Structures are given as C-alpha cells and as structure tokens.
Amino acid sequence: MKAASKFASAASAVALSAALAIPGAVAVQFVAVSAAQAAVVNRVEVRGNQRVDADTVRNYITIKPGKSFSNTDIDDAVKALFGSGLFSDVRINQVGSTLVVQVSEYQVVNNVLFQGNKKLKDAALGGAIQLKPRGAFSQAALEADAQSIKEAYKRVGRDDVTVGTKIMDLGENRVNVVFEINEGGRTKIAAINFVGNDAYGDRRLADIISTKRSSFLSFMLRDDIYDEDRLRADEEALRRFYYNHGYADFQVVSAFGELDEATNQYTITITVDEGQRYTFGDVSVESSIPEVDGASLQRLVETRKGDVYNAKDVEDSIIAITENVAGAGYAFAKVTPRGDRNFETRTISVVYTVDQGAKAYVERIEIRGNERTRDFVIRREFDVSEGDAFNQVLIQRAKKRLEALNFFERVEVSTAPGSQPDQVVLVVDLVEKSTGEFSIGAGYSTGGDNAGPSVEGSITERNFLGRGQFIKFSAGGGKNSRDYSFSFTEPYFLGRRIAAGFDVFRQTRKYDHYDSDVTGGTIRFGLPITNNISTQLAYNISQEEYSLSDDCVTGGVYDPLKCNISLAIRDGVKDSPWIKSSVSGTLVYNTIDDMKNPRNGIYANFTTEVAGLGGDAKFVKVTGRASYYQTLSEELDIVGLVSVGGGHIMGFGDDGLRVFDQFKSNDRMIRGFKYNGIGPRDVGTNEHLGGTTYFNASAETQFPIPVVPESFGLRGAFFADAATLYGSKVTGVNFGTSTDMELRASVGVGLLWASPFGPLRIDYAVPVKKVDGDETQEFNFGISTRF
C-alpha cells in the first residue's frame, strides 16, 4: 500500500515537472527563433495583408530598419498588432537582415442581417451587438452577440428565444452575418409568493413591488417581465416600506424566480424576516462643536417620542440639521444618528450627533452615460459644485432629485480619490430611458361639461432637446366638445428652482341651448417653499364667446317658441365675446406618500384669483380643498379618506358677476346629482344657474377586491358625500330654489381602476337628502381626479 502511494506521489511529481518544463521549453524555443541572430535589420517586410496597408502595419510596431531591437520589442509589436483589432494572427521573425511580419486579417463584416424578429426591430438589435458593417469579424464576437440578443429578448419578457447564426462568405475576405431568431412566446409570471410576512398580507406587498403577476392587461402594462435588476429594486422597495413602518430589523432573506420551461412561466418567491415593530424612544441632538448648541437644533427633528419608527423621518431630520449647521458656517459638519434599541419595550432612542467632519472638497463632478441629457441638467440638481465642501447628505439628496426627474432608468453616485488627499471626485453614472410619449385613446364620461364619448391624442416630451424641459401638445373631443392645448415648462427658470411655463388652449362646448368657444393662455411660475409646501403664481387671459344653438333662433334672433332659456343666459350670450384677464395664486401642502396610490398623508390647496386687470370680468374668487388619507388596516389594506372643500366668488364694479362666472356643481363636489344639477334655479325655465358659494365634504373607505388579482389595479370604495351650493348675484330671475344654504347628501359605492389609460372610476350614489328641483344621476363614470 505504501509502495503504491509512493509510486503515485512520484508519478504526480513527474507529471507536474513535465507540465512546468514543456511550456518552458516551448518558450525557450520561441525566443530562440524570434530573437534572431542580429539586433538590427535593414527592412521590415509585411506579408499576408489584403486590405490593411503595409505602412499601417509598420506604424503599429516600434522596430525600425537600422535600429537595434530586443525580444521585448518583438513582444510589444505582437501585442500592438493584436490590440489593433485588425488581425486574427500575428507572427514576427527575422530572416537574414529582414524582419518578416506575417499577419492574418480578420474577415470584414459586409452586413448584419436579422431574420425572424418582430418584437424587437433591427435598430434595437443592432445597438445591442458588437459586430457592425465594415467592422472586423471574429467568432468570439459572434457568440457574444448571440448571447446579447438573448438578453435583449429577456428584458422584454421572452426567455425562450433561440438565436442561430450563419456566416455567408462573399469572397475577398468579406462576410455577411445572419442571426436567425425564433422569438418564442411571452414569458409570463404565474405567481409571486411571499414567505415570512405576518404584519402585511401578500396583496399589500405585491402592490409595493414593481414586478407584477401576469394578467390580461400585461401586454399593455409590461409589468410582468422577470428581470434580476428589477427584482433587486423590488427588494429595496420592500426594505424602504418596512423601515418606514416601524420594522427596523427587516431584511429580505432571499428573492428569486424559477422558470417552468414547460409553461414558459416564472414563479417568484420572496422570503422576508419582518422582525419586531418599534416606536421612537427618547430623541435628542448632541453637538461636539462648541459653537453649535444641540438643544437649539431639536426643533428641526421630525422624529417624535412615541411615534412609529420611520426611517424617512430620520433621513429628513439629518438633512434639516445638516443644512442648518452648514448655513451657520460649518460646511464640514457631519450629522450621525445613533439608535439604541430596547427589545423589551420595542423602542428605539435616537441621538443625532453633530461633529466636525474631515475636511474634503469636491474636485470635480464627472458625469457618465448621458448621451442625450445635457450636463447642466444633471449638475443643477446638485447643491454642491467643484470647489465646495463635500457633504454626503447633499449628495444623496441630489441623487433622489435625479431619480425624480424620470429621465433615467438608473442613477448611481459614487466617489473617487482626487488629485490631493482632501479632494474627491464625484462620479455620476446614468442609464437614460425614453422620455417621449405618443398616446391616443378613447373614453366615456357621464358627468362634467363634456359628457359622453371622447377621443384624445397627445405628444409629450419630458426632456425636450435634452434640456430637461417639458412640452406637450394634445387634441381631443367628443360629441359636444373640442379641445386643443399646448404646454411648455422650463423647470429651472433663470438658473433657479423656479418652474416657469405657459399654456395656450381652445375649448369648444355645446350645451342644451347655447354653445361656447373659449380661447386663452396662461403664464405661470411655480416655486417650492419647503419640502412639503409649494406655490404657483399665474397670469390668465381668455376670450369667451357664447352663442345660442341654431335650433333656438329664427332669422338670427332668439325664438322663445323654440327654446325656453333663462334671461341670465340670454344676457350673457348677448354681451359676448368677453375678455377675462386675471392673476391667481395657489398654495399647495403635500405630504402624500404615493401620488399614484395614496394611503397616508395630506394634500391641500388654496387658490385665490382676481379678475379685472383689464377685460370685462371683475371678481375675486377663493377656492380650497383638502384630502386626508390614513391607512385603517395594514393587514387588510383598507384606506380611509376624508375631504373637505369650499369656494366663494364676489364681483365688483358696475357689471357685477356674469352667470358663467358662478360655481356649478360636479361629481367632485357631490355624487348622485347631475353636473350643474343643484343650487339656485330659474323657476321659469327650470335651469340651474350656479351659485356664489359652496361647501362640500366626503368620507370614503377604500379596500382591495378579494376575488380580483392585485395586478389588475382594482379597488372598491364606500362613500358618503354632503354639499351645498347657494347664493346668486344674477338679477331679473325668479329663483325657484332658495338662494340660501341648503344641504344635499348622498351615499354610494365605487370601483377604482388604475388602468393603462389613467385612473378611472365608476360610482353608484343614492341621494339621501335633496331639494325640489335638483337633478339626480345615480351612475357616474369617468376619469378619477384624486387631487
């Protein structure tokens, strides 16, 4: 046994020695051959080249006739020629006084052809591969390109694609490359399973992530494509959600997808460890900088003792303290939160420590990956520039701003050492995405001033010419309406975070007895005041022209035998066209967690408009609305909503208010009643003329529909509405409905759909309190306007 072992050891040693010795012998032989006998040659001869000029080959090498050279020079020459990408093989030898450079050129790609592709066009595939017409061909590049095409199809949800390759020799060292593609069927997501979640149900977590289970709408939404990068982003979304709801120990244990090749469907499994839910314990601010008083910074802290732990509130507190201390002259101050968990009481005490950080400066900001978006659009999102103090908090804020632009698929900000120890280089890596949209659609609405079927088309560009500007043109209409509009917004007016823009529009409406044409424009300026408060100032001008319907006139004159129209409306038509010139100011308070699918927060706006800067209209109008969302049950995903609103308009001057200036009721005011179906009414014609004052309130509970997959985007609602519309400054009218305050109320159920065409809603409301003369409408269908 020992003898056998010794023999094996000896054999292994011999084999190892041979393995080391043989390459060495080859190397020695190569050196002996290629080193040549002389250190100088009289000429350099190039052989084997067909397309590449001999002088081009000579220029790649440093060995020149009449100059001495070494083996190192030969090695460098071989590497240089291979590095040119022009040759598949290179050999250099000395024959007498001649240095012979023998090359084998790569074949040249004459054309690249794709066959069988329908879902991805030639241009998209051509941009994903290395081989290009008039470029060099190699087998390695061909194989890599076939794999790149497969990856491109996986990104659009076709994992079972097959890619074959074919080379067509055209002679003269030229080839055509053909990729034969069998796209296969769409790879779907059969299920998304969550494991380990107790605090939140599968439906709630599925709503948080961007990857969705396949449904009949997936072909439009394209949200059921399995992608590893998207799954990693979903993991981060889950972490943020749990961290912001008290689960500071949360972690994603694993997340992966399994493909069933028989059905071409993925099953995604996400395993989580939720941990315990914490509330905030004691919260304080300490400072190691003598001139900075920690107690005075306490007012900037957004975390409060007893509140549910929220990572976002901690981040906002760090930013607020950092900006305050930096503004006081301590540019290098660093704010560090220190958390102390108490597992028995399930609390986290937080101490925000302010220290004088190491001095570091931004040497430069290096931006990569922005082929379309201009550098200044990216740089202006940073509150630091070259030469400023490096501040990690401000860098992270800039990253969030860049992500919020919605110009990029991915934003990464990293640092690299600068030229000096106290210098850093900010590296911004971007992956751009399409920012242009063309849409066309059809809809139907039962309420408003354009009820009925309608179509609309629009062209939108969010990053016009790569300058970050927004531009949109839209046109649409229905049976009784026509709309045209053009909008432009510059988000950084005069280099500041002031959004400036303008809108021009034309609206045509046909009512029961009269028509209207409104042409106008708006110049607007928007300014953020704080993270949650913003304001907008605007100047508005429009021309309003009214005319009686053709079936109400005889010989161009109103015929009372054909139509019975209120005197107030006839006077308004007779005095048109009218010019309205006004200025308006809007204040917005917004703490909503998700504008597309709100569950917590407040959205409130207050607007004042003053008309009378020239023109015919003279009034002061004040309106306001506030909506409060609160999650009532995290486990069942039940959300409560309370809304209140009101408005008042007051005319001044000799002419007073026009009937068309007064408020009209709509479904945002109260459901269960027709558009303009409540309020002061002309008893002679039974027409509602609107009112000068309104108040409304609504309470609603929204919930998921158990039998419908969450990927459909359907939710149900129970609601109760109350409103009043009263007051009128119209003269010469006998009001059949009192102009005093009278309450209306309704209750109902609703169906909300986050459709590919926008948020839609169906409501069935039953009036439980109404006034004689009110016009009811129990069903209402149309676009859902939450804010």
Side-chain angles (χ1 to χ4, degrees):
M1 194 73 178
K2 291 183 178 180
S5 176
K6 290 181 178 179
F7 176 80
S9 300
S12 300
V14 171
L16 180 60
S17 300
L20 295 174
I22 292 173
V26 173
V28 171
Q29 183 180 6
F30 173 77
V31 171
V33 172
S34 59
Q37 299 298 320
V40 178
V41 293
N42 294 329
R43 67 191 185 96
V44 176
E45 181 179 334
V46 179
R47 299 176 183 176
N49 58 310
Q50 298 179 18
R51 301 182 318 276
V52 182
D53 188 74
D55 287 338
T56 301
V57 176
R58 295 186 182 98
N59 289 334
Y60 274 103
I61 64 178
T62 59
I63 301 173
K64 304 298 180 184
K67 293 185 178 182
S68 61
F69 63 91
S70 65
N71 290 335
T72 301
D73 294 324
I74 293 179
D75 291 342
D76 291 342
V78 171
K79 292 177 182 178
L81 289 171
F82 271 123
S84 70
L86 300 172
F87 309 105
S88 59
D89 190 22
V90 176
R91 296 182 182 181
I92 300 178
N93 292 283
Q94 182 181 357
V95 179
S97 61
T98 301
L99 188 70
V100 178
V101 181
Q102 182 75 38
V103 296
S104 296
E105 295 179 352
Y106 277 119
Q107 293 176 301
V108 175
V109 178
N110 179 67
N111 205 351
V112 179
L113 306 174
F114 303 97
Q115 295 179 352
N117 57 309
K118 295 180 180 178
K119 300 302 179 182
L120 291 178
K121 302 302 181 185
D122 289 4
L125 294 177
I129 63 175
Q130 305 174 42
L131 295 176
K132 306 291 183 183
R134 295 182 299 279
F137 170 82
S138 73
Q139 187 64 33
L142 180 68
E143 294 172 0
D145 286 349
Q147 185 61 36
S148 297
I149 293 173
K150 291 180 180 179
E151 294 297 327
Y153 271 95
K154 284 183 179 181
R155 287 192 291 271
V156 297
R158 293 183 178 269
D159 284 47
D160 63 342
V161 63
T162 60
V163 181
T165 59
K166 185 168 62 175
I167 307 302
M168 302 174 63
D169 193 344
L170 304 179
E172 298 182 355
N173 217 27
R174 295 182 305 117
V175 295
N176 278 348
V177 178
V178 182
F179 293 99
E180 298 173 326
I181 301 169
N182 181 357
E183 295 181 321
R186 286 194 69 237
T187 304
K188 299 181 179 180
I189 296 178
I192 301 177
N193 301 320
F194 293 91
V195 179
N197 54 309
D198 295 322
Y200 300 98
D202 288 5
R203 293 182 64 95
R204 181 70 180 100
L205 298 184
D207 189 62
I208 294 168
I209 63 177
S210 61
T211 304
K212 304 297 182 183
R213 183 166 48 147
S214 297
S215 69
F216 73 95
L217 293 174
S218 296
F219 77 98
M220 299 179 63
L221 298 173
R222 297 293 181 181
D223 56 3
D224 66 335
I225 296 174
Y226 178 78
D227 182 80
E228 289 288 346
D229 291 338
R230 176 184 282 190
L231 195 57
R232 300 290 82 78
D234 287 340
E235 291 182 33
E236 184 58 30
L238 288 171
R239 290 188 191 94
R240 288 198 305 268
F241 172 76
Y242 272 95
Y243 291 165
N244 291 338
H245 288 79
Y247 295 88
D249 297 328
F250 172 83
Q251 58 180 329
V252 177
V253 178
S254 64
F256 60 91
E258 291 182 303
L259 177 64
D260 185 343
E261 296 184 358
T263 61
N264 196 27
Q265 293 183 332
Y266 274 102
T267 298
I268 297 176
T269 302
I270 301 176
T271 303
V272 302
D273 181 2
E274 293 178 325
Q276 301 295 329
R277 194 182 198 199
Y278 294 89
T279 57
F280 282 111
D282 294 330
V283 178
S284 61
V285 181
E286 297 178 352
S287 174
S288 63
I289 304 175
E291 295 81 2
V292 176
D293 180 23
S296 66
L297 300 173
Q298 190 74 36
R299 59 185 174 80
L300 302 173
V301 176
E302 298 189 18
T303 51
R304 300 287 183 268
K305 184 176 182 178
D307 289 350
V308 174
Y309 177 82
N310 189 311
K312 182 178 182 301
D313 289 344
V314 175
E315 292 176 3
D316 291 343
S317 299
I318 294 172
I319 292 173
I321 296 173
T322 300
E323 290 183 337
N324 182 276
V325 175
Y330 299 92
F332 301 101
K334 181 180 180 182
V335 181
T336 306
R338 186 178 70 250
D340 183 16
R341 285 177 173 81
N342 188 319
F343 296 102
E344 293 181 0
T345 61
R346 296 181 183 176
T347 60
I348 299 178
S349 298
V350 181
V351 178
Y352 297 94
T353 304
V354 182
D355 297 313
Q356 184 65 274
K359 291 186 178 182
Y361 299 88
V362 178
E363 181 174 343
R364 71 177 187 276
I365 300 176
E366 183 177 326
I367 302 172
R368 304 185 302 205
N370 56 320
E371 297 180 359
R372 183 166 181 269
T373 306
R374 305 194 185 191
D375 276 10
F376 74 85
V377 174
I378 300 161
R379 290 178 180 274
R380 68 190 183 189
E381 300 300 334
F382 286 84
D383 289 329
V384 296
S385 58
E386 283 86 348
D388 288 348
F390 175 79
N391 188 308
Q392 186 63 46
V393 171
L394 300 182
I395 302 305
Q396 290 303 313
R397 169 178 280 191
K399 180 177 183 293
K400 291 181 179 180
R401 285 175 178 158
L402 288 172
E403 292 171 339
L405 291 176
N406 201 23
F407 297 168
F408 312 104
E409 290 184 1
R410 189 173 70 250
V411 177
E412 297 292 341
V413 181
S414 58
T415 60
S419 59
Q420 300 294 327
D422 63 345
Q423 302 282 325
V424 295
V425 177
L426 287 182
V427 181
V428 184
D429 287 302
L430 307 166
V431 177
E432 292 183 312
K433 66 180 180 180
S434 175
T435 56
E437 298 174 1
F438 171 74
S439 64
I440 185 168
Y444 185 88
S445 175
T446 57
D449 60 357
N450 59 346
S454 62
V455 295
E456 180 180 359
S458 65
I459 299 174
T460 305
E461 175 53 66
R462 302 191 308 273
N463 188 12
F464 183 60
L465 299 178
R467 303 177 66 87
Q469 298 164 334
F470 176 89
I471 188 170
K472 179 178 181 179
F473 172 77
S474 65
K479 179 181 179 181
N480 298 311
S481 64
R482 297 288 186 275
D483 292 286
Y484 306 94
S485 66
F486 177 81
S487 299
F488 174 84
T489 302
E490 166 55 66
Y492 274 74
F493 183 62
L494 298 178
R496 300 182 179 273
R497 288 196 177 100
I498 299 175
F502 65 87
D503 312 288
V504 292
F505 63 88
R506 179 174 176 81
Q507 298 175 341
T508 301
R509 298 288 186 270
K510 291 183 178 294
Y511 300 99
D512 290 340
H513 301 308
Y514 67 95
D515 304 333
S516 74
D517 290 294
V518 181
T519 304
T522 297
I523 299 174
R524 47 187 164 72
F525 299 90
L527 176 67
I529 300 175
T530 68
N531 289 338
N532 299 325
I533 301 175
S534 61
T535 185
Q536 178 171 296
L537 303 175
Y539 171 73
N540 318 282
I541 187 168
S542 62
Q543 176 180 278
E544 304 175 9
E545 186 171 359
Y546 300 90
S547 60
L548 296 177
S549 301
D550 293 339
D551 55 1
C552 293
V553 297
T554 299
V557 180
Y558 166 65
D559 188 344
L561 298 178
K562 290 185 175 181
C563 298
N564 190 15
I565 305 176
S566 172
L567 176 62
I569 295 177
R570 282 184 279 140
D571 286 345
V573 171
K574 180 182 65 176
D575 294 338
S576 73
W578 288 348
I579 299 294
K580 184 179 78 172
S581 174
S582 69
V583 292
S584 61
T586 300
L587 192 67
V588 177
Y589 176 76
N590 182 11
T591 62
I592 294 295
D593 57 345
D594 184 351
M595 295 297 288
K596 293 182 178 180
N597 195 5
R599 285 182 169 83
N600 290 284
I602 297 173
Y603 186 92
N605 63 74
F606 180 82
T607 300
T608 300
E609 181 181 7
V610 179
L613 303 178
D616 305 300
K618 292 179 173 60
F619 62 77
V620 177
K621 180 190 291 186
V622 178
T623 59
R625 182 181 179 90
S627 299
Y628 172 64
Y629 287 85
Q630 177 65 51
T631 299
L632 304 178
S633 171
E634 296 282 8
E635 173 65 27
L636 300 177
D637 193 16
I638 298 176
V639 178
L641 164 65
V642 177
S643 308
V644 294
H648 179 71
I649 186 170
M650 177 178 64
F652 61 87
D654 297 333
D655 298 331
L657 281 177
R658 305 168 299 169
V659 65
F660 301 117
D661 290 331
Q662 298 194 133
F663 296 110
K664 295 179 174 62
S665 64
N666 53 45
D667 61 336
R668 280 176 59 80
M669 188 181 296
I670 186 170
R671 288 161 284 196
F673 296 84
K674 282 187 177 180
Y675 170 74
N676 195 28
I678 67 173
R681 176 174 57 91
D682 187 336
V683 68
T685 63
N686 203 35
E687 292 176 287
H688 289 90
L689 302 178
T692 58
T693 307
Y694 77 90
F695 295 102
N696 71 290
S698 176
E700 181 170 298
T701 301
Q702 301 174 0
F703 52 87
I705 300 177
V707 296
V708 180
E710 74 285 341
S711 57
F712 283 21
L714 285 173
R715 292 176 66 84
F718 296 118
F719 61 83
D721 294 347
T724 180
L725 175 64
Y726 63 95
S728 181
K729 295 300 182 180
V730 176
T731 58
V733 175
N734 181 17
F735 287 100
T737 301
S738 172
T739 58
D740 296 332
M741 180 187 294
E742 293 183 278
L743 189 67
R744 282 86 167 172
S746 65
V747 295
V749 296
L751 184 66
L752 295 78
W753 182 27
S755 78
F757 321 104
L760 301 179
R761 180 165 183 150
I762 302 174
D763 289 316
Y764 177 75
V766 178
V768 295
K769 183 175 178 55
K770 57 183 179 178
V771 176
D772 290 342
D774 288 347
E775 298 180 70
T776 61
Q777 179 177 288
E778 295 179 342
F779 276 103
N780 186 74
F781 173 77
I783 296 176
S784 172
T785 305
R786 294 190 178 97
F787 308 110

